[in-house]
Amino acid sequence: MLAVRLPAIGKPLTLADVPVPEPRGSEVRIRVAGCGVCHTDLHIVRGEQSRISPPITLGHEVSGWINAWGPDAGELQAGDPVIVFGGWGCGSCRECRGGDEQRCARGASPGFQRDGGYAEYMLVPHRRHLVPLGSLDPVHAAPLADAGVTPFRAVRRAAAWLRPGARVLLIGFGGLGQFAIQHLARRPGLIVAVHDLDPRKLELARSFGALDTLDGPADVVFDFVGSDETLGQAAAIVAPGGLISLVGESGGRLVFGFEQPAVEAHLTTTAWGSLDDLRAVVAMAPELRWNVETMPLREAPRALDRLAAGDVFGRLVLVPEVAPTRR
């Protein structure tokens, strides 16, 4: 099968012909329908992401069809469309037992420590990591696995600050921002503005009711970029007692003290979402809209080049050249 592999940190991606993986134990094999191209993938290729175990097949935003399973996986139905929850934890630590498997210190996730979805097939360690898609188109649904669920979690964790009348700023309006603004719209009375350098993205944000600027400091800032520059912008505009939610992973740092951010401001990070978060996003997906552009799997290197150049509107999804059917 075709797989797009990272042979080593700092090396270019390679197109490889590798054996179709055989599921063992509780493993489930997925025939990939689509895999979203995330900025995190770009950071991995550049050597800017920690806890990576190359050589590895990239891709953590995966949807597809159940194809085969090991003897301990239980009864499954071949051809069922599913989306893959990527926070593969150990299943037994405090974080896993508490429902936050994506925070597991011993976790091994697709595209990071385990082979991911830049391939025609991939293995998932346990059926609990699969969420049924029902009638959703698997290719279009692939971004829900990260771009949809991560901002959902960020907004949910900011609930205490998101009271009617709260001023909210989104920095960056790419693959995650288009979901974030819709998750915020489910909370009444918010005043939401978007900062982005791309006029097309600002136009899209306005179509969701967003403003270009806020009148006064922000009670909540969601930074979907995460650079030194954007964190500095967030620190400069957050209100006393407000919240900066860092979602983007561009490697930025923020000097934190009494002078800046504002007094008693809070700073938090959001990493992915829980399995329950993903189930909630899949359930609300018929009420959401998001932009997807498909590219052939073998063009993954060009997809990352486009992402690096800012030439992406919404989410790129890699699709194997021979798209599977529901069977």
Side-chain angles (χ1 to χ4, degrees):
M1 71 171 186
L2 175 65
V4 182
R5 308 267 293 165
L6 178 68
I9 298 297
K11 298 294 185 180
L13 293 179
T14 61
L15 303 183
D17 184 9
V18 301
V20 175
E22 292 298 330
R24 298 180 296 178
S26 64
E27 293 176 331
V28 181
R29 187 171 69 201
I30 302 302
R31 186 170 184 182
V32 175
C35 185
V37 180
C38 178
H39 266 96
T40 304
D41 300 334
L42 194 58
H43 299 320
I44 290 172
V45 172
R46 289 172 170 173
E48 300 166 348
Q49 190 78 20
S50 62
R51 296 189 67 236
I52 306 302
S53 303
I56 195 168
T57 301
L58 292 190
H60 58 271
E61 200 174 74
V62 191
S63 63
W65 292 266
I66 292 174
N67 181 258
W69 52 91
D72 302 326
E75 291 298 321
L76 294 166
Q77 182 65 48
D80 279 358
V82 292
I83 193 166
V84 179
F85 170 69
W88 299 348
C90 68
S92 60
C93 69
R94 182 179 68 175
E95 299 294 347
C96 289
R97 294 196 309 271
D100 287 310
E101 192 171 348
Q102 79 284 355
R103 298 197 309 214
C104 176
R106 299 193 295 271
S109 293
F112 294 86
Q113 299 86 28
R114 301 276 295 272
D115 286 337
Y118 281 24
E120 294 178 299
Y121 296 87
M122 69 174 287
L123 291 181
V124 177
H126 197 278
R127 63 184 299 168
R128 72 175 182 273
H129 301 129
L130 302 176
V131 176
L133 283 175
S135 61
L136 294 177
D137 171 24
V139 174
H140 191 71
L144 299 176
D146 184 356
V149 73
T150 302
F152 173 83
R153 183 175 181 85
V155 169
R156 180 173 66 78
R157 295 181 66 240
W161 286 266
L162 297 175
R163 297 181 291 269
R167 296 183 293 258
V168 182
L169 176 65
L170 276 61
I171 301 178
F173 200 69
L176 277 70
Q178 63 178 335
F179 286 101
I181 199 166
Q182 296 177 82
H183 297 322
L184 288 166
R186 301 170 74 90
R187 298 176 181 270
L190 300 179
I191 302 166
V192 180
V194 169
H195 175 74
D196 197 285
L197 300 179
D198 188 332
R200 297 177 305 163
K201 295 177 182 178
L202 290 177
E203 182 178 355
L204 177 62
R206 293 186 196 106
S207 75
F208 285 108
L211 306 174
D212 291 343
T213 59
L214 291 176
D215 181 15
D219 299 297
V220 182
V221 181
F222 294 102
D223 184 353
F224 290 103
V225 179
S227 65
D228 287 349
E229 180 182 1
T230 57
L231 281 170
Q233 294 170 354
I237 196 173
V238 71
L243 173 69
I244 299 173
S245 179
L246 173 59
V247 186
E249 294 189 68
S250 289
R253 297 291 186 269
L254 176 66
V255 177
F256 191 86
F258 276 99
E259 296 299 323
Q260 197 178 50
V263 64
E264 294 194 343
H266 296 70
L267 176 64
T268 190
T269 57
T270 295
W272 229 328
S274 69
L275 183 55
D276 283 344
D277 290 333
L278 181 56
R279 291 189 182 112
V281 170
V282 169
M284 70 176 64
E287 304 170 19
L288 304 173
R289 59 185 173 100
W290 61 98
N291 292 305
V292 163
E293 179 186 347
T294 60
M295 292 183 67
L297 173 62
R298 65 177 57 254
E299 294 188 20
R302 187 169 74 87
L304 287 174
D305 287 343
R306 286 185 54 190
L307 192 62
D311 181 27
V312 177
F313 187 68
R315 204 62 154 182
L316 292 177
V317 173
L318 300 173
V319 180
E321 279 80 346
V322 181
T325 56
R326 184 184 174 114
R327 61 178 183 269

